Amino acid sequence: MAGIVHKPFYNRVALIGLGLIASSMAHAIRENGLARHIAGHAKSAESRATAAEIGLCDSVHETAAEAVKDADLVVLAVPVGAMGKVAEEIGPHLKPGATVTDVGSVKQAVIDAVAPHLPPGVHFVPGHPIAGTEHSGPRSGFATLFRNRWWLLTPLAQADMAAVACLRGFLEHMGAHVEEMEPTHHDLVLAVTSHTPHLIAYTMVGVADDLGRVTDSEVIKYSAAGFRDFTRIAASDPTMWRDVFLTNKEATLEILGRFTEELFALQRAIRTGDGEALFDYFTRTRAIRRGIIEAGQDTAAPDFGRGAAET
Amino acid sequence: MAGIVHKPFYNRVALIGLGLIASSMAHAIRENGLARHIAGHAKSAESRATAAEIGLCDSVHETAAEAVKDADLVVLAVPVGAMGKVAEEIGPHLKPGATVTDVGSVKQAVIDAVAPHLPPGVHFVPGHPIAGTEHSGPRSGFATLFRNRWWLLTPLAQADMAAVACLRGFLEHMGAHVEEMEPTHHDLVLAVTSHTPHLIAYTMVGVADDLGRVTDSEVIKYSAAGFRDFTRIAASDPTMWRDVFLTNKEATLEILGRFTEELFALQRAIRTGDGEALFDYFTRTRAIRRGIIEAGQDTAAPDFGRGAAET
């Protein structure tokens, strides 16, 4: 539609940390014309060099403080454990009226770490895109990562409604479905749907690795669907996940407790040969899968549409 | 190449059980011209009617005994716990010199259940295709399910080499990579790579289901990548998996014991805030994923090539 030029949501966006999420945001912002200038900063010189080489941002800065200068939106896309330090560094350099968001997988701990460092007049709207792959770094991003994925916002009670609405629109234009919830509730839900499953996957892969020394490469060679899915989950960024477990400790330990309780019950059913208990349990879990497909959060295509033919 | 007509591996193949594996075999046999006639039998009248309706086989039979008549290859594609009963039924009706194979996920228990019922002169070559989706039934099959997947054969010491070679060629023409191993070794390797991961996935989905009553539909709604992969695994056929755990009891309990031991160590690291231990563990498990990709058992494409754009 020639002649119609939309004003972008933000004039200048600063991405602090240039991993999978930030680099995907950069691509999505460009593709959808959501900002005029993307400033970027990564702690590692190598990531900054890569970002410059592939033209990920309009400008790459050596420090976070420089990157946030004049930015209307600042996105903290660093591991949860590093959020406080970055906030402390950028606090004095933020433009009055700017919006600050983050993409951490844990929300209450990020709020506790970041909020104290932000000056009055800056709008802090914590967020969490539920999207990812097992890849990381500035080269791993792609524009469609957030399409049809949830992006949860956990604004504080005193949040500026206009600032929240603007961020919301910006995220929706990347293809995300945005919802708001309480930070602590977010942390419990995610402990169930993401954090504990990841810990379990890490553990199972670790066990297989120990046994790999017994059965040589067979554990990898004959890795069946179940295990292969686990290894993908367990290949996620170690720093990010360490921080998730350290900062969402209570909810994770609560869910882990329930998990081992149920696992022991199934283990007992196997030991005693209680086929009926096993069958009933497996039938019940099958139903939840249907719910997920109906909720549009995944595809019913065989093998996830992964295509046995292509691999 | 007009004019060249290959003689198929088998004149008549009988598929006993018409679920995902057998229906995929039927498609692959047709597509690759590997047999002249496919006879099929399913215990449920509904499955037989579906198979007839979609023309899955050349003939559908009411009993397994009828289906195996004159068959050169008989494929037992029923749950592991039903193998013995089927073998007992078909034993007297098998053609002398016929080959019998199965597709069970556990091998020693199948050998113990099936072998005693087969007459001398019939070649029993147990097998296990490491391929599947969470779908089941006669409509779920597709011709490429086995392409680039492992198909493990565990022939007995007295096996006829020509019969094994013929079955091998037949399976390879469906696209599978065939390897031979000892039955008990198979059962240990699969306990690590498939059986225990499935039990864990079932458990985690069960825990989420319990909590679903607390957090309403949010557990499904916001199910992140980790949990979504688990639900796919946990949606597999309940009867098949009940039988797997009942018949591969010892190896599964052994691996489960190691799993809980390691999980407790990680749980302790979370509780005590030992970030270094978590980081080291997560870094180690990341490496095994690379091994799987290098072994060609999966793709390194982001999100498994699942395509965030399409879902």
Side-chain angles (χ1 to χ4, degrees):
Chain A
M1 304 220 277
I4 302 185
V5 178
H6 288 285
K7 188 174 173 287
F9 284 95
Y10 300 101
N11 194 45
R12 191 181 180 98
V13 171
L15 304 174
I16 308 303
L18 297 173
L20 171 69
I21 298 294
S23 59
S24 293
M25 288 182 74
H27 290 296
I29 291 169
R30 283 262 173 82
E31 201 169 294
N32 299 291
L34 308 180
R36 284 196 218 280
H37 184 101
I38 304 170
H41 163 73
K43 197 176 147 197
S44 105
E46 197 191 330
S47 292
R48 291 198 301 272
T50 302
E53 187 198 324
I54 63 175
L56 186 68
C57 310
D58 297 303
S59 60
V60 177
H61 303 266
E62 284 209 13
T63 68
E66 278 170 43
V68 303
K69 205 182 161 225
D70 288 327
D72 306 288
L73 174 68
V74 174
V75 181
L76 306 181
V78 299
V80 169
M83 294 279 184
K85 205 166 160 241
V86 170
E88 188 179 6
E89 184 194 336
I90 62 170
H93 305 275
L94 292 167
K95 179 174 158 177
T99 294
V100 173
T101 189
D102 75 296
V103 300
S105 307
V106 176
K107 296 273 54 81
Q108 189 57 56
V110 169
I111 292 170
D112 295 344
V114 170
H117 299 294
L118 303 185
V122 162
H123 310 293
F124 181 37
V125 187
H128 176 206
I130 303 182
T133 73
E134 75 269 34
H135 299 284
S136 44
R139 285 188 204 278
S140 62
F142 53 100
T144 56
L145 178 64
F146 311 110
R147 200 173 288 171
N148 288 324
R149 298 295 174 208
W150 293 102
W151 199 309
L152 304 178
L153 295 179
T154 61
L156 310 186
Q158 68 274 30
D160 182 283
M161 288 170 79
V164 175
C166 184
L167 178 61
R168 208 181 163 116
F170 172 79
L171 302 174
E172 283 168 353
H173 274 73
M174 293 189 201
H177 301 300
V178 181
E179 293 232 353
E180 294 173 31
M181 59 168 65
E182 289 288 318
T184 51
H185 186 69
H186 166 280
D187 292 352
L188 177 65
V189 171
L190 269 288
V192 180
T193 59
S194 172
H195 306 167
T196 308
H198 269 83
L199 192 75
I200 287 162
Y202 275 121
T203 307
M204 189 62 228
V205 174
V207 170
D209 189 32
D210 292 344
L211 281 152
R213 281 153 212 163
V214 182
T215 57
D216 295 311
S217 70
E218 286 179 318
V219 165
I220 291 179
K221 192 169 171 184
Y222 304 119
S223 67
F227 186 69
R228 271 192 287 122
D229 288 345
F230 277 36
T231 62
R232 188 182 71 81
I233 300 171
S236 304
D237 185 53
T239 305
M240 173 192 152
W241 284 99
R242 175 199 63 197
D243 288 359
V244 164
F245 296 119
L246 294 180
T247 56
N248 199 17
K249 187 190 286 200
E250 275 177 44
T252 306
L253 291 176
E254 157 75 18
I255 304 304
L256 267 178
R258 287 169 184 251
F259 172 81
T260 44
E261 210 173 89
E262 296 224 14
L263 184 63
F264 285 155
L266 285 174
Q267 189 170 323
R268 191 166 183 280
I270 294 174
R271 199 182 295 281
T272 62
D274 186 350
E276 206 179 317
L278 293 171
F279 182 82
D280 290 347
Y281 200 93
F282 300 164
T283 303
R284 185 161 70 87
T285 57
R286 201 174 209 191
I288 205 171
R289 171 74 189 160
R290 296 205 188 101
I292 287 176
I293 290 167
E294 281 160 22
Q297 288 294 295
D298 216 326
T299 162
D303 207 23
F304 262 179
R306 194 190 304 168
E310 293 135 48
T311 58
Chain B
M1 302 220 282
I4 302 183
V5 177
H6 289 284
K7 185 173 173 292
F9 284 95
Y10 301 101
N11 195 44
R12 192 181 177 95
V13 171
L15 303 174
I16 309 304
L18 296 172
L20 171 69
I21 298 292
S23 59
S24 293
M25 287 181 76
H27 290 294
I29 291 168
R30 286 260 173 84
E31 201 169 294
N32 300 289
L34 308 180
R36 285 196 219 280
H37 185 100
I38 303 170
H41 163 74
K43 198 174 145 197
S44 105
E46 195 193 331
S47 292
R48 291 198 301 273
T50 302
E53 186 197 326
I54 64 173
L56 187 66
C57 311
D58 298 303
S59 60
V60 177
H61 304 266
E62 283 208 11
T63 69
E66 278 171 42
V68 305
K69 205 181 160 223
D70 289 327
D72 307 287
L73 174 68
V74 175
V75 181
L76 306 180
V78 299
V80 169
M83 295 279 183
K85 202 163 164 245
V86 170
E88 188 178 7
E89 183 193 339
I90 63 169
H93 306 275
L94 291 166
K95 179 174 160 178
T99 295
V100 174
T101 190
D102 76 294
V103 300
S105 307
V106 176
K107 296 277 49 83
Q108 190 56 54
V110 170
I111 292 170
D112 295 344
V114 170
H117 300 293
L118 303 185
V122 162
H123 311 294
F124 180 37
V125 188
H128 176 206
I130 304 182
T133 73
E134 74 268 34
H135 300 285
S136 45
R139 286 188 203 276
S140 62
F142 54 100
T144 56
L145 177 63
F146 311 111
R147 199 173 288 172
N148 288 325
R149 299 292 174 211
W150 293 102
W151 199 309
L152 304 178
L153 295 179
T154 62
L156 309 185
Q158 68 273 29
D160 182 283
M161 288 171 78
V164 175
C166 184
L167 179 61
R168 208 183 161 113
F170 172 78
L171 302 174
E172 284 168 352
H173 274 72
M174 293 189 202
H177 301 301
V178 181
E179 294 232 350
E180 294 173 29
M181 60 166 67
E182 289 288 319
T184 51
H185 185 68
H186 166 278
D187 292 352
L188 176 64
V189 171
L190 269 289
V192 179
T193 60
S194 172
H195 306 167
T196 309
H198 269 84
L199 192 74
I200 289 164
Y202 275 121
T203 307
M204 189 63 228
V205 174
V207 169
D209 190 32
D210 292 343
L211 280 152
R213 283 153 209 162
V214 182
T215 56
D216 295 311
S217 70
E218 288 180 317
V219 165
I220 290 180
K221 191 170 173 186
Y222 304 120
S223 67
F227 186 68
R228 271 193 286 125
D229 288 346
F230 276 35
T231 61
R232 188 183 70 83
I233 300 172
S236 305
D237 186 54
T239 306
M240 172 190 153
W241 283 100
R242 175 199 64 196
D243 287 0
V244 164
F245 295 118
L246 294 180
T247 56
N248 198 18
K249 187 190 285 199
E250 276 177 43
T252 306
L253 291 177
E254 156 74 18
I255 304 304
L256 267 179
R258 287 171 184 250
F259 172 82
T260 43
E261 208 173 89
E262 297 224 14
L263 185 63
F264 285 156
L266 285 174
Q267 191 170 322
R268 190 168 185 280
I270 294 173
R271 199 181 295 280
T272 61
D274 187 349
E276 206 179 318
L278 295 171
F279 181 82
D280 289 349
Y281 200 92
F282 300 164
T283 303
R284 186 161 72 87
T285 57
R286 200 175 208 188
I288 205 170
R289 172 71 188 163
R290 294 203 188 102
I292 288 174
I293 291 168
E294 279 159 23
Q297 287 295 296
D298 216 324
T299 162
D303 208 22
F304 263 179
R306 194 191 305 168
E310 292 136 51
T311 58

